[in-house]
C-alpha cells in the first residue's frame, strides 16, 4: 500500500512538472522525476513480480529499480545545481558522474554476490541477513544519503534567501530532505542490525520506515509541485503590478511626449505591440528623456518623481515582494 502511494505521488509530480515546466529549456528535474517514478513503480508488488518474471525470476528487478533511483537522484541533483549560483565543492562532488558510476558499479558487484533465490517482493526482509545483501543495500542508501544531504544544504540556503511566498516550497523541500536523511539512516541501521543478528533493533526501527517514506515523498513532491505554481503566480502578480504602474504613469507620459515627442509618436505600432514590461520601460525612458532634454522645459512633482522611481525599481527587479530565488530537492526509495 505504501509503495503504491509513493508511486502515485511521483507520477502526480511528473504530471505537474510536465504542465508547469513545459516551456523551460532545462528538463533535468522533469527527467529525474520520471526516472524515479519508474523506479518507485517497480517497487509496487504487482509490477515488481510481473517485471521480474520476465527477467528470469531472480530478483533482477530490484537491481534495475535501485539503479534507476540512483540515476534519477543524480539527475535531480544536477538539475537543482543549475537553478542557483550556490554550488559548494562538496555538493558538486556529491552529484558528480564519477561518484554515480562508482556507486552503480559497487551495488551491481554486491548484488551479484547475493544468493537471490526466486522472485520475492520482500527482498531485504527475506535476504537481508546475507552480508552481501546488507552491503548492497547500505551502498545504495549511502549514495541516496549523500544526495539528500546535498539537497538539504541547498534547500536550507534557499529558504534563508527566500522572501514571501517563496518560503513555502523551500520549507517543504527542506522538511522532505530532512525526512529523507532520517529514512536513509534508518534503512542503513536496519541493514546492519539484520546482518549482525540484532533483530530487535531492526524491528524497532522498521516501525518508523513507512511513516518516514510517506513524509519524505509527500513533502518533497509538494515542494516540487508548488515551486512552478509559485513562480507562475509571481509572474502574474508582477505583470499586474507592471500594468498598474504604467496606468499611473500614463498621464505624466502623455505630458512628456507632448513636451518632447519620442519614439512612441514615431512608431506607434511598435509601441502598442510591446509586452507590459517593454511598454513600461518605454514610458520611463521617454519621461526621463523629457526631464533631461535641455531644449524643453518639463518639471514633475515630488509625488510623480517617487512614482517614477518606484516604477524603475520594479522594472529592474528590486521589488522585494517579487525577489527571485532558486529551487531545490530530492526523492527516496523503499527497503522491502
Amino acid at each position: 500500500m505504501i509503495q503504491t502511494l509513493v508511486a502515485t505521488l511521483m507520477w502526480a509530480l511528473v504530471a505537474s512538472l510536465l504542465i508547469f515546466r513545459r516551456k523551460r529549456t532545462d528538463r533535468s528535474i522533469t527527467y529525474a522525476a520520471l526516472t524515479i517514478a519508474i523506479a518507485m513503480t517497480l517497487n509496487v508488488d504487482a509490477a515488481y513480480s510481473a517485471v521480474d518474471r520476465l527477467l528470469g525470476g531472480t530478483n533482477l528487478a530490484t537491481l534495475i529499480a535501485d539503479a534507476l533511483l540512483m540515476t534519477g537522484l543524480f539527475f535531480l541533483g544536477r538539475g537543482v545545481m543549475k537553478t542557483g549560483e550556490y554550488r559548494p565543492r562538496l555538493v558538486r562532488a556529491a552529484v558528480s558522474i564519477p561518484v554515480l558510476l562508482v556507486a552503480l558499479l559497487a551495488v551491481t558487484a554486491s548484488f551479484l554476490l547475493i544468493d537471490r533465490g526466486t522472485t520475492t517482493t520482500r527482498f531485504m526482509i527475506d535476504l537481508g541477513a546475507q552480508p552481501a545483501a546488507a552491503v548492497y543495500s547500505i551502498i545504495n542508501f549511502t549514495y541516496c544519503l549523500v544526495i539528500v544531504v546535498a539537497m538539504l544544504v541547498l534547500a536550507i540556503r534557499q529558504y534563508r534567501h527566500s522572501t514571501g511566498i517563496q518560503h513555502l516550497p523551500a520549507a517543504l523541500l527542506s522538511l522532505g530532505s530532512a525526512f529523507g536523511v532520517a529514512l536513509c539512516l534508518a534503512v542503513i541501521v536496519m541493514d546492519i542490525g539484520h546482518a549482525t543478528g540484532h533483530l530487535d533493533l531492526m524491528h524497532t526501527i522498521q516501525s518508523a520506515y513507512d511513516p518516514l517514506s510517506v513524509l519524505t515523498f509527500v513533502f518533497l513532491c509538494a515542494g516540487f509541485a508548488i515551486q512552478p505554481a509559485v513562480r507562475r503566480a509571481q509572474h502574474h502578480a508582477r505583470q499586474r503590478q507592471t500594468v498598474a504602474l504604467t496606468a499611473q504613469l500614463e498621464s505624466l507620459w502623455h505630458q512628456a511626449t507632448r513636451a518632447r515627442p519620442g519614439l512612441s509618436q514615431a512608431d506607434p505600432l511598435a509601441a502598442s505591440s510591446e509586452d507590459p514590461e517593454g511598454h513600461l520601460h518605454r514610458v520611463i525612458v521617454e519621461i526621463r528623456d523629457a526631464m533631461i532634454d535641455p531644449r524643453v522645459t518639463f518639471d514633475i512633482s515630488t509625488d510623480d518623481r517617487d512614482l517614477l522611481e518606484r516604477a524603475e525599481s520594479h522594472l529592474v527587479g528590486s521589488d522585494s515582494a517579487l525577489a527571485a530565488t532558486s529551487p531545490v530537492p530530492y526523492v527516496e526509495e523503499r527497503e522491502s
Side-chain angles (χ1 to χ4, degrees):
M1 179 62 183
I2 295 297
Q3 302 308 321
T4 302
L5 174 61
V6 169
T8 301
L9 287 172
M10 284 306 307
W11 284 112
L13 174 61
V14 170
S16 69
L17 292 176
L18 289 173
I19 293 170
F20 290 110
R21 294 175 63 93
R22 64 185 184 277
K23 294 182 180 180
R24 297 178 69 89
T25 55
D26 182 17
R27 300 290 181 88
S28 298
I29 292 178
T30 302
Y31 295 150
L34 178 61
T35 303
I36 296 169
I38 296 173
M40 294 301 102
T41 302
L42 284 176
N43 284 329
V44 176
D45 289 350
Y48 180 88
S49 298
V51 171
D52 198 62
R53 280 197 298 269
L54 294 175
L55 297 174
T58 58
N59 293 299
L60 280 174
T62 293
L63 178 61
I64 294 173
D66 290 338
L68 285 172
L69 174 65
M70 295 168 68
T71 304
L73 288 176
F74 165 76
F75 284 112
L76 185 62
R78 293 294 284 254
V80 171
M81 286 271 289
K82 296 177 182 178
T83 63
E85 297 180 357
Y86 180 64
R87 302 176 183 180
R89 183 175 300 176
L90 289 177
V91 172
R92 294 200 305 270
V95 296
S96 65
I97 293 178
V99 171
L100 173 65
L101 293 178
V102 169
L104 288 174
L105 288 173
V107 296
T108 301
S110 58
F111 182 83
L112 295 177
L113 297 176
I114 301 171
D115 182 8
R116 302 189 301 276
T118 57
T119 299
T120 173
T121 57
R122 308 190 314 162
F123 186 81
M124 288 305 298
I125 293 176
D126 292 344
L127 307 177
Q130 297 182 44
V135 170
Y136 167 79
S137 182
I138 289 171
I139 293 172
N140 180 16
F141 278 89
T142 297
Y143 179 80
C144 292
L145 177 63
V146 169
I147 298 296
V148 181
V149 169
M151 297 303 101
L152 180 60
V153 170
L154 294 174
I156 291 174
R157 178 178 172 83
Q158 180 193 357
Y159 181 84
R160 289 176 177 173
H161 290 77
S162 298
T163 57
I165 195 174
Q166 276 287 356
H167 275 121
L168 180 58
L172 292 172
L173 292 172
S174 297
L175 286 171
S177 297
F179 283 123
V181 170
L183 177 61
C184 291
L185 291 174
V187 172
I188 291 171
V189 174
M190 286 165 58
D191 290 333
I192 295 173
H194 198 172
T196 57
H198 293 83
L199 299 184
D200 290 341
L201 173 63
M202 184 190 77
H203 291 309
T204 298
I205 298 178
Q206 192 173 24
S207 62
Y209 177 82
D210 284 347
L212 286 175
S213 296
V214 172
L215 290 170
T216 297
F217 279 96
V218 165
F219 281 109
L220 288 174
C221 289
F224 279 118
I226 287 174
Q227 272 190 337
V230 166
R231 284 194 296 268
R232 178 168 293 190
Q234 286 184 308
H235 173 72
H236 290 315
R238 181 175 177 84
Q239 276 202 326
R240 288 195 299 271
Q241 188 172 358
T242 299
V243 172
L245 287 169
T246 303
Q248 294 175 56
L249 286 171
E250 186 172 5
S251 176
L252 184 63
W253 177 44
H254 288 318
Q255 296 173 37
T257 54
R258 282 197 298 268
R260 181 188 183 278
L263 293 177
S264 296
Q265 281 67 35
D267 191 0
L269 290 178
S272 63
S273 64
E274 289 173 331
D275 63 275
E277 292 204 8
H279 184 57
L280 178 59
H281 179 266
R282 179 187 289 268
V283 168
I284 292 172
V285 168
E286 294 187 350
I287 292 173
R288 285 295 188 188
D289 286 346
M291 291 170 62
I292 64 175
D293 193 333
R295 297 172 299 175
V296 302
T297 301
F298 182 69
D299 296 322
I300 65 175
S301 67
T302 301
D303 290 343
D304 286 338
R305 191 179 297 274
D306 290 341
L307 175 60
L308 186 63
E309 290 176 356
R310 288 203 308 274
E312 289 172 329
S313 297
H314 165 77
L315 204 57
V316 299
S318 62
D319 187 347
S320 61
L322 296 170
T325 55
S326 58
V328 190
Y330 154 69
V331 198
E332 243 282 54
E333 193 228 37
R334 64 144 182 152
E335 148 82 348
S336 65

